[in-house]
């Protein structure tokens, strides 16, 4: 996934998008409108906004498409955040600051590690790699199952979306973490 990019009054946002299947206005006399929102794969939620949303459901569909969007986070896959790496590099010492004795002891320990790895059978290496992939997959499932701050976007033109402003954070949560891959779309949206 690419990093978010803002250019030419557009935000190219890598994200996980959940298609909204129903928007119904809740009754009440307030300055803002509150809507009950249902989306594929997410728990039902309420959104309060100054904007007037078109009400629809699966039985009464409309031409316009809405999505609840979870901005992509590299840490979901256990990948480091580049800004954190840069901060760490600035705080740490440079390679030139190491003494020869430190670098010699490190190279000795690396050769010991290499000898240990080479003594493992190919089956053990594959098991280690498989368990690492499995552990990452489980970690990803746990992260995706947690509540997240979402954006509500409405389709303007093919491939272009506009954010619907909300008066409060939109906190969404996946209904069933086991069905995550079926109900979500991973991609990049152009938000105007």
């Amino acid at each position: 996934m690419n990093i978010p990019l803002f250019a030419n009054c557009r935000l190219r946002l890598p994200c996980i998008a959940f298609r909204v299947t129903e928007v119904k206005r809740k009754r009440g006399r307030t300055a803002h409108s509150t809507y009950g929102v249902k989306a594929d794969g997410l728990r039902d939620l309420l959104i309060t906004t100054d904007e007037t949303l078109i009400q629809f459901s699966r039985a009464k569909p409309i031409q316009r498409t809405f999505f609840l969007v979870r901005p992509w986070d590299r840490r979901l896959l256990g990948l480091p955040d580049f800004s954190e790496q840069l901060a760490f590099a600035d705080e740490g010492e440079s390679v030139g600051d190491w003494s020869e004795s430190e670098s010699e002891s490190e190279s000795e320990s690396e050769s010991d590690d290499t000898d240990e790895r080479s003594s493992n059978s190919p089956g053990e290496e594959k098991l280690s790699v498989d368990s690492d992939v499995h552990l990452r997959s489980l970690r990803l499932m746990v992260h995706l199952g947690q509540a997240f701050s979402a954006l509500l976007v409405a389709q303007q033109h093919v491939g272009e979306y506009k954010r619907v402003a909300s008066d409060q954070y939109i906190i969404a949560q996946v209904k069933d973490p086991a069905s995550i891959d079926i109900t979500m779309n991973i991609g990049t949206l152009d938000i105007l």
Side-chain angles (χ1 to χ4, degrees):
M1 278 262 147
N2 295 328
I3 60 171
L5 174 69
F6 188 77
N8 300 323
C9 298
R10 293 173 189 259
L11 173 62
R12 292 191 54 90
L13 183 66
C15 61
I16 302 170
F18 298 88
R19 185 183 195 95
V20 173
T21 57
E22 183 175 307
V23 173
K24 294 227 181 212
R25 185 167 186 200
K26 300 292 181 184
R27 298 205 186 272
R29 298 275 177 185
T30 62
H32 310 290
S33 300
T34 300
Y35 296 90
V37 176
K38 294 183 181 185
D40 286 335
L42 296 179
R43 293 183 179 170
D44 298 350
L45 54 126
L46 296 175
I47 295 175
T48 303
T49 181
D50 287 334
E51 296 186 35
T52 302
L53 301 178
I54 300 169
Q55 297 183 68
F56 68 93
S57 66
R58 288 188 195 269
K60 186 181 148 192
I62 59 171
Q63 294 292 330
R64 201 170 188 193
T65 304
F66 288 86
F67 286 102
L68 280 166
V69 173
R70 177 182 190 150
W72 183 252
D73 183 354
R74 295 177 52 85
R75 292 172 289 188
L76 290 174
L77 294 177
L79 299 173
D81 184 3
F82 292 120
S83 63
E84 290 173 4
Q85 285 180 341
L86 291 174
F88 177 74
D90 291 342
E91 293 172 6
E93 55 190 25
S94 70
V95 175
D97 293 340
W98 289 351
S99 68
E100 286 183 26
S101 61
E102 286 177 317
S103 57
E104 285 173 7
S105 65
E106 283 185 15
S107 63
E108 287 173 10
S109 68
E110 284 177 11
S111 65
D112 292 343
D113 290 345
T114 306
D115 292 341
E116 288 176 17
R117 274 188 253 123
S118 62
S119 68
N120 292 342
S121 68
E124 289 176 12
E125 275 186 36
K126 182 173 180 354
L127 182 63
S128 174
V129 169
D130 287 346
S131 64
D132 184 47
V133 169
H134 182 69
L135 184 60
R136 277 186 146 178
S137 298
L138 289 174
R139 216 177 287 140
L140 175 63
M141 295 295 287
V142 168
H143 283 296
L144 291 176
Q146 294 174 347
F148 61 93
S149 183
L151 302 173
L152 178 63
V153 296
Q155 185 174 15
Q156 299 298 302
H157 305 286
V158 176
E160 295 179 342
Y161 296 85
K162 179 182 177 205
R163 180 175 174 253
V164 176
S166 176
D167 291 351
Q168 300 171 355
Y169 287 114
I170 300 172
I171 304 299
Q173 188 168 15
V174 174
K175 278 184 195 174
D176 179 17
S179 67
I180 285 175
D181 61 338
I182 299 168
T183 59
M184 67 183 190
N185 300 310
I186 300 174
T188 302
L189 295 180
D190 284 339
I191 301 175
L192 304 174

